[in-house]
Amino acid sequence: MNDKTQNKLVLIVLLWLAAFASLAAPPTLPANLNWQTNDTDPAFADPNAKRGGRFRTYTPGFPLTLRQIGPDANNTFANYLRANSLSLVSIHPNTLNPIPELATHWAFDPDGKTVYFRLDPDARWSDGAPVTADDYLFTMEFMRSKFILDPFSNNYYGEILKDVVKYDDYTIAVAAADAKPNYELLFQVAIGPTPRHFHKLDENWVKNYNWRVEPNTGPYQISEVRKGKYVEFARVEDWWGSDKRFYRHRFNVDYVRVKIIRDQNAAYSYFAKGELDSFGLVMPRLWYKKAQGRPFENGYIGRIKFYNDVPQSPQGFFLNTGDPILADRNVRLGLAYAINVDKVIRTVLRNDYERLQTMNEGFGDYSNRDIHARPFDIAKANQHFDNAGWQTRGPDGIRTRNGERLSLRVTYYSQDHTSRLVVFKQEALKAGVELTLQYLDPSAAYKQIMEKKHQIALMAWAGGGLTPRYWEHFHSDNANKPATNNITNTADPLMDREIIAYQKATTKEERVRLARELELMVHESAVFIPTYKIPYTREAFWRWIRLPQGYATRTSTEIVEPFGTSSGGLFWIDEDVKTEVQRARPLGEKFDPIEILDETWRVGAQPQISGGGAP
């Protein structure tokens, strides 16, 4: 080999090594980033809290899976699992400022799309493995995988979020597809990790992981599953977050047992016997008729009504436009005027609830306060049904068209809604429409609705978030396919364009304008008939359940809430008081009654706090 050839080979090798080194080298973190954190907002837990005990609660249906992703995963029980899966940052429940969660610091890129995060090196999975940048890289791989059979996750992590970049084991950047105001962007990209060491992604993933307990990052982990009977969570031993500023003195009970009790009346009987520790009393029937009598008068059980300040759950009738009858907007408008919400509020609900005006209320500037729900108006209902061709009536008064009756099935999953639906049904008959009522177990109802086999669903989506969400509920990408949240099967090209513009808008002013326009489009489409909103929570609890000073937080949707890193886990169990109550009950001995009203966070009212014997 001559010198010239040898020099060429050396040059090629050097170039190859340089190229390899550049590929292998980690990206360089931008200089002069303005790192932020929040270690000044007030802690909101009670330092008097005691550790220990088993908290007992219930859910009406056994989960169809323990997965949080994929078929049948978006069920009620999944809320327990998600509440124990932390994100990069969270929201302070009173100030609404960002607070650390799995990240200790964050910094914004000038592009308006990217946020840098310093991960907490203390963070651990419940199996003891460290949480590192690789788990966030795996989140993107996992959520985009075809094997998880989850179109919503595939879309969100493929279209809304664009990339995760690892700088070292504890520094990452998460990039969104479109620029947003910093506050919104921070929470949009504040994803959670996925344990790479636990999952094997292949065509059998859904089946193989249906009942496997995934490691999580929160204070509790599933410790026992008795199918059809209960699921129990145990507090993670030496949980890594116990001494962090916003977690200290929280998540105090050792175990949380979630019993499966399908009937609410039966569940209340368990509670009244002391076999459940707390019970939600939002429904007027429970507050006025059940939560009365000697256990309350003797102070064994307390009651609290606590006003909060949160976005309202979109609660109402969701109309499936994939149904041939409901595909006609005139029919949907006729139904909107034939649903007598005010009468249900006035009679069945004892004027405790308020009329929900739009799908998205409580989002501040983003809510369109110029829209009002359509009132009960038989003349207008008749006009729209006539325009749709349902002009004749049969002997029973029900409208017909070409021999078909105007009869529509309403699917629901809470027996407490039956008395309301009976009134809705009776009033709708005046307009010549028959509502047939289909009560299903929550799991069965959920399955039917998510498979888009319903006609009308009476239900509520969980509230929350910083801004209204339109893409998941109304974009055509999510229509006419199972396991997406577009349960009205809305597929409107004009709305699609507006939704994409809303997603891409970079200023708050533009996003507010588009959100209000989209809310008007939803209203005009008449695919959702809003019913009522509840600006408070009400609960009963046994005396041994102790509440913190202030009882709860601005954003608490439950008072005795075991999970949830934003405002859950504030209560504790006093075993000494429990022993005292159990001794006093058979003897008829009395304590001071506990009756609490707290209006500190009531919107538009002068705050009031009253009550006696409060724990």
Side-chain angles (χ1 to χ4, degrees), residues 492-503:
D492 179 349
L494 291 176
M495 192 180 293
D496 283 354
R497 286 198 289 272
E498 196 90 343
I499 289 170
I500 297 304
Y502 175 61
Q503 289 182 334

Side-chain angles (χ1 to χ4, degrees), residues 212-232:
R212 292 189 64 183
V213 177
E214 181 184 35
N216 63 30
T217 50
Y220 293 94
Q221 177 61 296
I222 291 175
S223 56
E224 186 179 1
V225 177
R226 294 286 301 275
K227 287 192 177 182
K229 295 183 180 296
Y230 64 81
V231 178
E232 183 157 284

Side-chain angles (χ1 to χ4, degrees), residues 121-250:
D122 295 336
R124 293 288 184 274
W125 293 103
S126 52
D127 61 5
V131 179
T132 70
D134 288 335
D135 295 312
Y136 292 90
L137 294 176
F138 185 62
T139 289
M140 297 298 283
E141 177 186 342
F142 180 85
M143 294 298 185
R144 290 172 171 178
S145 171
K146 65 181 181 181
F147 297 132
I148 66 173
L149 303 182
D150 195 311
F152 172 77
S153 296
N154 291 163
N155 273 307
Y156 189 86
Y157 284 84
E159 302 297 328
I160 308 303
L161 299 180
K162 280 302 182 186
D163 200 11
V164 172
V165 177
K166 172 184 174 181
Y167 294 95
D168 58 46
D169 283 347
Y170 294 101
T171 310
I172 63 171
V174 185
D178 302 300
K180 293 283 186 300
N182 280 356
Y183 186 74
E184 290 184 42
L185 178 69
L186 177 62
F187 292 104
Q188 183 180 77
V189 302
I191 62 176
T194 304
R196 182 187 291 273
H197 64 281
F198 174 77
H199 290 282
K200 180 184 177 183
L201 268 178
D202 58 25
E203 65 275 7
N204 297 315
W205 180 84
V206 167
K207 178 181 67 176
N208 289 345
Y209 287 81
N210 208 44
W211 297 107
R212 292 189 64 183
V213 177
E214 181 184 35
N216 63 30
T217 50
Y220 293 94
Q221 177 61 296
I222 291 175
S223 56
E224 186 179 1
V225 177
R226 294 286 301 275
K227 287 192 177 182
K229 295 183 180 296
Y230 64 81
V231 178
E232 183 157 284
F233 295 79
R235 198 176 195 281
V236 176
E237 188 175 354
D238 297 322
W239 181 51
W240 68 271
S242 290
D243 293 324
K244 302 293 180 180
R245 177 181 181 83
F246 298 110
Y247 297 147
R248 198 176 299 129
H249 308 302
R250 295 175 60 193

Side-chain angles (χ1 to χ4, degrees), residues 413-429:
Y413 49 83
S414 171
Q415 289 184 336
D416 270 287
H417 291 167
T418 302
S419 57
R420 308 173 195 185
L421 280 163
V422 167
V423 176
F424 285 132
K425 176 183 175 78
Q426 292 170 344
E427 293 294 291
L429 286 172

Side-chain angles (χ1 to χ4, degrees), residues 197-389:
H197 64 281
F198 174 77
H199 290 282
K200 180 184 177 183
L201 268 178
D202 58 25
E203 65 275 7
N204 297 315
W205 180 84
V206 167
K207 178 181 67 176
N208 289 345
Y209 287 81
N210 208 44
W211 297 107
R212 292 189 64 183
V213 177
E214 181 184 35
N216 63 30
T217 50
Y220 293 94
Q221 177 61 296
I222 291 175
S223 56
E224 186 179 1
V225 177
R226 294 286 301 275
K227 287 192 177 182
K229 295 183 180 296
Y230 64 81
V231 178
E232 183 157 284
F233 295 79
R235 198 176 195 281
V236 176
E237 188 175 354
D238 297 322
W239 181 51
W240 68 271
S242 290
D243 293 324
K244 302 293 180 180
R245 177 181 181 83
F246 298 110
Y247 297 147
R248 198 176 299 129
H249 308 302
R250 295 175 60 193
F251 311 113
N252 300 297
V253 297
D254 290 335
Y255 300 95
V256 177
R257 176 167 292 190
V258 184
K259 292 176 64 71
I260 310 304
I261 308 175
R262 302 184 187 280
D263 178 74
Q264 192 175 57
N265 292 321
Y268 189 83
S269 296
Y270 276 92
F271 170 70
K273 291 185 291 186
E275 296 178 23
L276 299 177
D277 294 300
S278 68
F279 200 88
L281 297 174
V282 170
M283 294 181 179
R285 175 184 66 83
L286 298 170
W287 182 257
Y288 293 107
K289 293 184 178 180
K290 289 280 190 182
Q292 306 286 341
R294 188 164 298 169
F296 294 88
E297 295 165 2
N298 289 355
Y300 308 145
I301 302 175
R303 301 196 316 172
I304 181 171
K305 182 176 183 179
F306 183 92
Y307 282 84
N308 50 29
D309 179 14
V310 293
Q312 291 295 316
S313 297
Q315 188 162 205
F317 294 90
F318 291 82
L319 313 185
N320 184 355
T321 61
D323 179 82
I325 297 176
L326 294 170
D328 191 325
R329 178 172 176 267
N330 268 308
V331 171
R332 301 197 300 270
L333 287 168
L335 277 171
Y337 286 114
I339 298 294
N340 197 341
V341 177
D342 288 339
K343 183 171 183 178
V344 169
I345 292 175
R346 188 173 63 252
T347 56
V348 181
L349 300 176
R350 299 176 177 240
N351 278 322
D352 272 12
Y353 296 1
E354 301 171 12
R355 180 74 199 263
L356 185 69
Q357 300 297 329
T358 64
M359 183 164 176
N360 292 289
E361 285 194 33
F363 290 95
D365 294 338
Y366 288 85
S367 295
N368 191 334
R369 298 180 184 85
D370 295 330
I371 300 173
H372 298 284
R374 295 176 178 91
F376 180 69
D377 189 323
I378 291 299
K380 289 184 177 179
N382 287 336
Q383 178 184 345
H384 285 292
F385 287 138
D386 287 346
N387 290 342

